[in-house]
Amino acid sequence: MKKVIFYAIVLLSYGCYTPLNNSGVSTTKQWLEVPGKRVDFDGKQYDSCVQFKLRFWPQEAVQRLDLQASCISACCWRSEQDEITLDFNKGFNEELHRHGVARKYSPEKITLKVTHSNLVNVTKVTVNPRSAISRNGLVKLSYKTIRDEARLAEIERELELQEESYQPQEPPVDSPVATRTSTKTKKTTAPKPQQNIGALRAKALVQRNAGAKIDNYFYRMNKTYQAQNAVFLLSSRLLVPKEQEDGTYLVTCHAKARTGIDEKHLNTSDFPCGVWLVDINVQMVLPQDNKAKQIAQ
């Protein structure tokens, strides 16, 4: 009887815990799973593979995380990393430069510390800050939208150039065509800022080769918002090509959207849809950053 009471006291010290996982291990949180474990010759656990079944609001906050390394999309062995840090502002400066606008989340980081007791066969996770994750595994973040007005002006200019149709340059001055061009015509025809025809072709290649996958990515995002009874209103995609020294192009994709808990409370957001490497000579389009690789899968 005393032994039973002792175990009950130990269990209460760990808090309420969920039923056994597939590996036969209990946990202190319903969003903490233990799909596998390693035991010694005496049958005692010395290692376990843990996974955090978390949900996020706003949903796009997960774009700052490596879901596999964070033990969210796959389990991680506790012996290799028993403490996980979810850094929601990682890459903020790079995103602000790329798009001119970026979100800064709070809390900036959430730390998850995992321990296991063989005595009661319970795996425990400690969350810091303690209130950062709800009982059912919802990570709810607040955020501020930071705008770099100078960078936005640069991007706006790039988009204006992108919309201009390509005009062939004037022939050399010693060509027969140039000889027949009157001085009056030359004075009245003012040169206009023009985008290289290669950049236009690079944009068209991304649209043709990756457009469907980008559309599908935003379709899935919209379904996620709908599942949480939220609003996701997406505008058309914007493709900004930039020529590299080797003649290839990096085409940055992003889209404007309005999101919120309902149509009366909407925020304007900018959603990246990847950076794509384009070689117009061989008609090749390859994902260049993590977001593009995620979309291309």
Side-chain angles (χ1 to χ4, degrees):
M1 183 66 181
K2 291 182 179 179
K3 189 174 182 180
V4 173
I5 294 175
F6 169 74
Y7 277 112
I9 293 174
V10 174
L11 289 172
L12 288 173
S13 69
Y14 270 83
C16 298
Y17 61 97
T18 63
L20 297 178
N21 283 257
N22 293 336
S23 60
V25 179
S26 295
T27 62
T28 58
K29 301 291 184 182
Q30 65 180 8
W31 45 266
L32 173 62
E33 294 191 357
V34 185
K37 64 180 179 179
R38 294 167 176 164
V39 297
D40 58 22
F41 291 111
D42 296 326
K44 294 182 179 180
Q45 180 192 136
Y46 67 88
D47 199 2
S48 56
C49 201
V50 298
Q51 185 173 2
F52 308 119
K53 293 292 188 177
L54 298 175
R55 298 176 294 113
F56 298 88
W57 180 261
Q59 174 67 26
E60 52 270 20
V62 301
Q63 297 174 4
R64 299 274 179 83
L65 303 178
D66 184 330
L67 297 182
Q68 183 171 351
S70 301
C71 313
I72 295 173
S73 63
C75 71
C76 306
W77 289 104
R78 183 164 42 86
S79 61
E80 297 176 0
Q81 48 178 354
D82 62 350
E83 183 172 295
I84 307 297
T85 299
L86 308 180
D87 187 350
F88 295 99
N89 287 330
K90 184 177 181 180
F92 166 80
N93 291 329
E94 293 81 357
E95 184 178 327
L96 184 62
H97 175 74
R98 184 180 300 118
H99 304 292
V101 59
R103 289 180 176 181
K104 180 161 284 189
Y105 291 101
S106 180
E108 181 175 355
K109 296 180 180 180
I110 298 176
T111 302
L112 305 170
K113 174 74 174 180
V114 178
T115 56
H116 178 78
S117 171
N118 275 323
L119 181 63
V120 289
N121 192 33
V122 173
T123 298
K124 178 182 179 181
V125 59
T126 302
V127 181
N128 185 29
R130 292 182 60 183
S131 61
I133 303 177
S134 70
R135 184 175 181 181
N136 63 359
L138 176 63
V139 180
K140 192 170 184 179
L141 305 167
S142 60
Y143 65 89
K144 293 182 179 179
T145 301
I146 308 300
R147 297 171 61 88
D148 184 338
E149 298 298 339
R151 178 59 182 146
L152 284 171
E154 291 180 2
I155 294 174
E156 190 68 27
R157 179 56 181 161
E158 291 174 352
L159 295 176
E160 289 177 359
L161 293 176
Q162 181 177 311
E163 295 300 325
E164 293 179 0
S165 60
Y166 173 73
Q167 297 288 341
Q169 297 181 356
E170 293 185 5
V173 293
D174 57 348
S175 71
V177 177
T179 303
R180 292 193 300 268
T181 303
S182 66
T183 304
K184 180 179 180 180
T185 303
K186 290 181 179 179
K187 290 181 178 180
T188 57
T189 306
K192 296 172 62 177
Q194 297 163 2
Q195 187 178 33
N196 187 293
I197 190 171
L200 295 174
R201 289 175 177 172
K203 173 185 170 183
L205 275 174
V206 172
Q207 179 73 23
R208 186 177 69 191
N209 293 12
K213 292 182 177 180
I214 295 173
D215 286 343
N216 188 49
Y217 165 72
F218 283 120
Y219 173 77
R220 295 195 307 270
M221 184 180 293
N222 182 50
K223 295 289 286 186
T224 300
Y225 272 82
Q226 289 180 347
Q228 300 186 34
N229 295 320
V231 178
F232 181 79
L233 303 176
L234 184 70
S235 67
S236 59
R237 296 187 307 272
L238 300 174
L239 300 174
V240 181
K242 184 176 182 180
E243 187 173 8
Q244 306 301 294
E245 292 183 357
D246 61 358
T248 62
Y249 290 84
L250 288 179
V251 180
T252 301
C253 173
H254 63 107
K256 301 290 184 181
R258 301 181 68 197
T259 63
I261 57 175
D262 57 48
E263 293 185 355
K264 295 182 180 179
H265 303 85
L266 296 178
N267 296 313
T268 301
S269 304
D270 189 286
F271 289 88
C273 39
V275 178
W276 304 84
L277 176 64
V278 180
D279 189 331
I280 60 175
N281 294 322
V282 296
Q283 302 286 290
M284 178 189 71
V285 177
L286 294 175
Q288 183 71 7
D289 66 347
N290 290 334
K291 174 57 60 182
K293 292 176 183 176
Q294 175 191 348
I295 292 173
Q297 290 178 351

